[in-house]
């Protein structure tokens, strides 16, 4: 399908000649392809479906009978509802699979930083997309709940901890304790105490284990509450602690396969170099025989594959961990696990410059509170707040859309500079604009009756602005397919922003109010289809579409829209 152009009228479909020419002779050069396109276009005949055929630079362009285009697209969108695009024949050859997606994965006792926010919303998007396409998905949160830092934290809690604070705000309190004990971390006595605490933990000392378990359980409860605000859920809370014993088995397996080598210092390494000259290696064991992060990851991967027998395993983390995953996959391959080919690391870049009014962001909750308060402020100055049921809820959902769209606009692997002002603008390519467009279209439907329109006269939808919306709706399946191939949300974001701009233009030029009933019904059906696809795409991205109007445009109550909605 051909992307809609603001500058000129375009055909609906195009065939690239290069994709169907077999020989690689000079005909494949631009002039040759153009000539072939012209020849083919002349030989093809129009019919009841295709009303016009023309040649472009190396392409043959097809324009569909306008009434048929309107009828087919609208019927399909309204019939398929939330499955529109997903039912496309593009996906008919794609086998339904089972995927384990590990994302978010914060560290217990270290506050949820902004990298974890990216991992959470990216992983949630990938999971949503796969579920929509009919795959089985296991959403996994692999917590950093083991390691030397727990020795330090345990000692810190014995010195500075408060049981009451641990219950009421565990993440905040453990973070404060961690900061305090870290100041003394260089002290030899503290180091020794921390080592002892962690050793007791590894030896399953009851008292030590009980304290650690409290850290973990209270933290998970608070995470679940925060995830709820983000609209995210997990099927499984796993963690490094689960693999403390199993990592010992991994070390034994590596030894049995002759892959484990000891260094002079007594650490255990695996040689990853091609020439076996140790030019590249990975450390998998400390000199005292205890496991490392990568050893626990090896054990986790093997365990997951045994347990879930999945077709793919996706890890969503920052690109700073690319090296770690490269090593992880290489070791699994050396161990003879062919399924490692089905493991994938989806990496993302850094977010720079995210600050709240109080300064640098440490906690995810600070970001959510900040975006909500800024959004409430915008809504108040736009004088729409008092007409909205539950402004807090609206501000939260619209604010979250703003964060997600700003994050998803570029390639995931690129770093980006965060800007509150840019994210929260109500015009332009923002999440607020998407929410606002959805609210306007929703309001339009409510004002003119919410019933499903079945019999409409498609001859009423021949204006260029109506055709542009229809042509754009036609492309939705191709955009979904592209995102499903490279797991990049930017294709869907760009599609939805264009859809919103096209719908906004059509909303101005094709009024429903004051038109003849026949014309009003047809236009309403067009706007209903646009809103339906907009809502579907937003949900895939992890955004809850709002039914009432956020700040930045005409205010409305649910029942009585103000003038600009007509």
């Amino acid at each position: 399908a051909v992307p809609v152009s603001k500058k000129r009228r375009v055909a609906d479909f195009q065939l690239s000649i290069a994709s169907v020419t077999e020989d690689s002779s000079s005909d494949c050069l631009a002039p040759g392809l153009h000539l072939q396109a012209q020849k083919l276009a002349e030989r093809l005949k129009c019919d009841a479906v295709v009303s016009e055929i023309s040649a472009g630079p190396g392409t043959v362009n097809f324009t569909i009978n306008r009434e048929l285009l309107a009828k087919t697209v609208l019927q399909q969108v309204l019939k398929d509802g939330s499955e529109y695009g997903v039912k496309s024949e593009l996906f008919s050859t794609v086998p339904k699979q089972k995927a384990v997606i590990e994302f978010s994965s914060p560290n217990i006792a270290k506050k949820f930083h902004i990298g974890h926010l990216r991992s959470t919303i990216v992983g949630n998007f990938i999971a949503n997309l796969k579920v929509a396409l009919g795959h089985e998905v296991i959403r996994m949160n692999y917590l950093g709940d083991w390691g030397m830092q727990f020795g330090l934290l345990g000692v810190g809690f014995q010195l500075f901890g408060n049981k009451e604070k641990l219950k009421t705000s565990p993440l905040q309190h453990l973070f404060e304790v961690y900061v305090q004990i870290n100041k003394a971390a260089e002290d030899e006595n503290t180091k020794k105490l921390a080592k002892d605490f962690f050793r007791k933990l590894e030896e399953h000392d009851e008292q030590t284990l009980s304290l650690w378990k409290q850290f973990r359980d209270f933290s998970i409860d608070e995470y679940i509450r925060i995830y709820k605000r983000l609209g995210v859920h997990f099927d499984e809370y796993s963690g490094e602690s689960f693999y403390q014993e199993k990592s010992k088995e991994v070390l034994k397996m590596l030894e049995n396969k002759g892959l484990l080598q000891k260094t002079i210092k007594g650490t255990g390494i695996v040689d990853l170099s091609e020439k076996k000259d140790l030019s590249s290696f990975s450390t998998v064991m400390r000199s005292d025989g205890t496991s490392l992060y990568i050893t626990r990851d090896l054990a986790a991967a093997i365990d997951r594959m045994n347990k879930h027998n999945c077709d793919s395993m996706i890890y969503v983390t920052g690109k700073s961990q690319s090296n770690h995953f490269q090593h992880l996959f290489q070791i699994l391959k050396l161990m003879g696990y062919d399924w490692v080919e089905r493991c994938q690391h989806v990496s993302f870049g850094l977010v720079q410059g995210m600050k709240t009014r109080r300064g640098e962001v440490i906690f995810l909750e600070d970001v959510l509170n900040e975006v909500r308060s800024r959004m409430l402020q915008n809504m108040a100055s736009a004088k729409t707040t008092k007409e909205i049921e539950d402004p807090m809820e609206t501000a939260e959902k619209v604010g979250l859309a703003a964060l997600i769209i700003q994050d998803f606009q570029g390639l995931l692997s690129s770093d980006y500079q965060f800007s509150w002002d840019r994210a929260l603008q109500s015009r332009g390519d923002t999440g607020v604009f998407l929410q606002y467009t959805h609210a306007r279209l929703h309001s339009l439907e409510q004002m003119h009756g919410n019933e499903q329109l079945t019999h409409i006269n498609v001859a009423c939808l021949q204006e260029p602005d109506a055709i542009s919306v229809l042509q754009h709706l036609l492309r939705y399946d191709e955009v979904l397919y592209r995102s499903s191939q490279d797991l990049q949300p930017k294709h869907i974001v760009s599609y939805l922003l264009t859809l919103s701009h096209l719908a906004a233009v059509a909303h101005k030029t094709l009024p429903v109010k004051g038109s003849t009933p026949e014309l009003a019904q047809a236009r309403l059906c067009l706007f209903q289809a646009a809103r339906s696809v907009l809502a579907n795409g937003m949900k895939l991205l992890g955004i809850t579409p709002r039914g009432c109007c956020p700040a930045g445009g005409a205010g409305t109550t649910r029942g009585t829209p103000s003038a600009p909605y007509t």
Side-chain angles (χ1 to χ4, degrees), residues 31 65 81 95 185 203 212 288 310 342 354 363 424 443 479 495-496 499 503 523 530 535:
N65 169 321
E203 289 165 0
W212 168 84
D288 62 1
C310 51
R342 310 201 297 269
M354 189 180 264
F363 304 138
L424 297 174
S443 187
V479 173
Y495 176 89
L496 296 179
L499 177 59
R523 287 174 177 175

Side-chain angles (χ1 to χ4, degrees), residues 13-17 37 40-41 44 53-56 58-62:
F13 291 101
Q14 66 178 200
L15 172 76
S16 156
I17 291 291
L40 183 55
L44 294 167
I53 300 170
S54 64
T59 60
V60 179
N61 304 322
F62 302 88

Side-chain angles (χ1 to χ4, degrees), residues 105-116:
S105 306
N107 296 308
I108 301 282
K110 286 188 185 173
K111 272 277 191 120
F112 204 115
H113 65 72
I114 219 60
H116 293 127

Side-chain angles (χ1 to χ4, degrees), residues 59-264:
T59 60
V60 179
N61 304 322
F62 302 88
T63 301
I64 305 298
N65 169 321
R66 286 297 169 238
E67 291 190 15
L68 186 74
L69 174 77
K71 188 180 170 190
T72 313
V73 170
L74 295 177
Q75 268 183 356
Q76 203 68 51
V77 174
L78 299 173
K79 180 171 118 316
D80 289 351
S82 64
E83 291 188 314
Y84 176 68
V86 171
K87 283 185 162 180
S88 161
E89 62 195 34
L90 276 179
F91 296 105
S92 60
T93 57
V94 179
K96 299 285 181 269
Q97 294 189 326
K98 185 178 187 179
V100 168
I101 304 173
E102 180 201 295
F103 63 105
S104 193
S105 306
N107 296 308
I108 301 282
K110 286 188 185 173
K111 272 277 191 120
F112 204 115
H113 65 72
I114 219 60
H116 293 127
L117 173 64
R118 275 207 101 172
S119 174
T120 307
I121 59 178
V122 172
N124 189 46
F125 158 71
I126 295 171
N128 289 346
L129 182 62
K130 287 197 174 284
V131 167
L133 296 172
H135 302 295
E136 187 187 340
V137 169
I138 292 139
R139 297 163 187 254
M140 185 170 291
N141 201 337
Y142 182 67
L143 301 169
D145 62 358
W146 203 253
M148 266 329 265
Q149 78 267 27
F150 280 94
L152 208 51
L153 189 67
V155 174
F157 195 79
Q158 285 164 347
L159 293 172
F160 315 111
N162 177 314
K163 287 263 161 97
E164 213 34 61
K165 280 186 182 173
L166 182 65
K167 270 186 194 156
T168 51
S169 53
L171 297 181
Q172 177 71 40
H173 184 53
L174 289 176
F175 177 72
E176 285 163 2
V177 167
Y178 196 68
V179 168
Q180 275 183 286
I181 192 67
N182 249 321
K183 289 174 188 166
E186 289 311 303
D187 172 59
E188 285 308 316
N189 189 39
T190 308
K191 272 186 189 170
K192 187 184 170 303
L193 288 171
K195 243 184 173 162
D196 288 349
F197 188 95
F198 187 58
R199 199 195 65 250
K200 281 185 190 167
L201 203 52
E202 294 228 286
E203 289 165 0
H204 297 270
D205 171 72
E206 217 168 291
Q207 210 179 344
T208 315
L209 212 52
S210 155
L211 184 60
W212 168 84
K213 202 173 173 326
Q214 284 181 53
F215 293 168
R216 190 180 192 276
D217 293 349
F218 287 141
S219 295
I220 290 177
D221 288 345
E222 193 163 348
Y223 280 137
I224 290 171
R225 186 178 58 76
I226 298 171
Y227 288 133
K228 206 171 173 179
R229 283 182 72 178
L230 283 169
V232 173
H233 72 276
F234 290 92
D235 301 306
E236 232 175 88
Y237 279 87
S238 177
E240 291 181 66
S241 59
F242 287 61
Y243 298 106
Q244 177 228 340
E245 287 303 318
K246 287 196 165 105
S247 59
K248 290 174 187 168
E249 291 168 30
V250 167
L251 291 171
K252 214 165 218 73
M253 284 160 76
L254 287 168
E255 200 168 6
N256 293 344
K257 287 178 187 286
L259 295 168
L260 187 67
Q261 297 182 28
K262 290 267 178 74
T263 63
I264 303 164

Side-chain angles (χ1 to χ4, degrees), residues 275-323:
K275 293 178 179 171
K276 296 297 166 211
D277 57 3
L278 288 177
S279 54
S280 165
F281 66 87
S282 178
T283 307
V284 292
M285 186 182 79
R286 285 198 184 89
S287 54
D288 62 1
T290 55
S291 64
L292 287 158
Y293 179 53
I294 194 159
T295 336
R296 297 190 280 274
D297 257 4
L298 287 164
I302 296 164
D303 181 59
R304 274 174 215 176
M305 215 24 123
N306 289 341
K307 184 177 169 188
H308 296 293
N309 191 21
C310 51
D311 301 289
S312 66
M313 197 141 67
I314 298 168
Y315 297 85
V316 185
T317 74
K319 61 183 178 187
S320 61
Q321 290 201 36
S322 295
N323 216 15

